[in-house]
Amino acid sequence: QVQLVESGGGLVQAGGSLRLSCAASVNLFSIKGMGWYRQAPGKQRELVAQVTIIGGRTNYTDSVKGRFTISRDYAKNTVYLQMNSLKPEDTGDYYCHADHAWQGGYWGQGTQVTVSS
């Protein structure tokens, strides 16, 4: 079993920054890849950013390229999403996902991000 605990969401003005954290209950080396997804009201969940744990290969959806950065911290078993230059359209529920090496996929509980204009 893998538990993922997200934190760092909140209310921020347009142009501001937030850093989301996803802390895993297992060593990151047992996870192949982690990603952040978001879901806005009335829209389907979409991939925002993902990173391979070994190698650090990253991928971002076009709308956040140049503004968001995903990173990993082995010592803390944590993946971060640094969000800069936030826009109202970034508003939504953000979910962390982990692809474990042998236990399958897991979702965090989600954290809310609201960007006001």
Side-chain angles (χ1 to χ4, degrees):
Q1 263 284 341
V2 178
Q3 283 79 49
L4 304 172
V5 180
E6 299 112 322
S7 61
L11 175 64
V12 65
Q13 293 181 229
S17 298
L18 286 172
R19 188 179 73 163
L20 306 184
S21 299
C22 177
S25 64
V26 298
N27 193 293
L28 287 194
F29 289 115
S30 66
I31 296 173
K32 292 186 289 185
M34 296 185 69
W36 286 95
Y37 295 72
R38 69 185 178 191
Q39 187 166 21
K43 301 181 69 175
Q44 66 180 2
R45 189 173 299 183
E46 66 169 345
L47 175 68
V48 177
Q50 61 186 169
V51 62
T52 59
I53 299 305
I54 298 176
R57 177 180 172 86
T58 59
N59 183 54
Y60 301 90
T61 191
D62 287 343
S63 64
V64 308
K65 288 180 179 177
R67 300 188 297 122
F68 290 12
T69 303
I70 188 169
S71 61
R72 65 214 194 281
D73 186 323
Y74 298 117
K76 296 181 178 179
N77 294 327
T78 297
V79 168
Y80 302 98
L81 184 67
Q82 178 66 46
M83 306 186 294
N84 298 325
S85 302
L86 282 162
K87 304 174 180 179
E89 49 263 44
D90 295 318
T91 294
D93 293 328
Y94 283 69
Y95 298 88
C96 180
H97 182 268
D99 182 13
H100 193 269
W102 61 85
Q103 296 190 68
Y106 292 86
W107 290 98
Q109 81 286 352
T111 185
Q112 294 183 4
V113 172
T114 302
V115 184
S116 62
S117 59

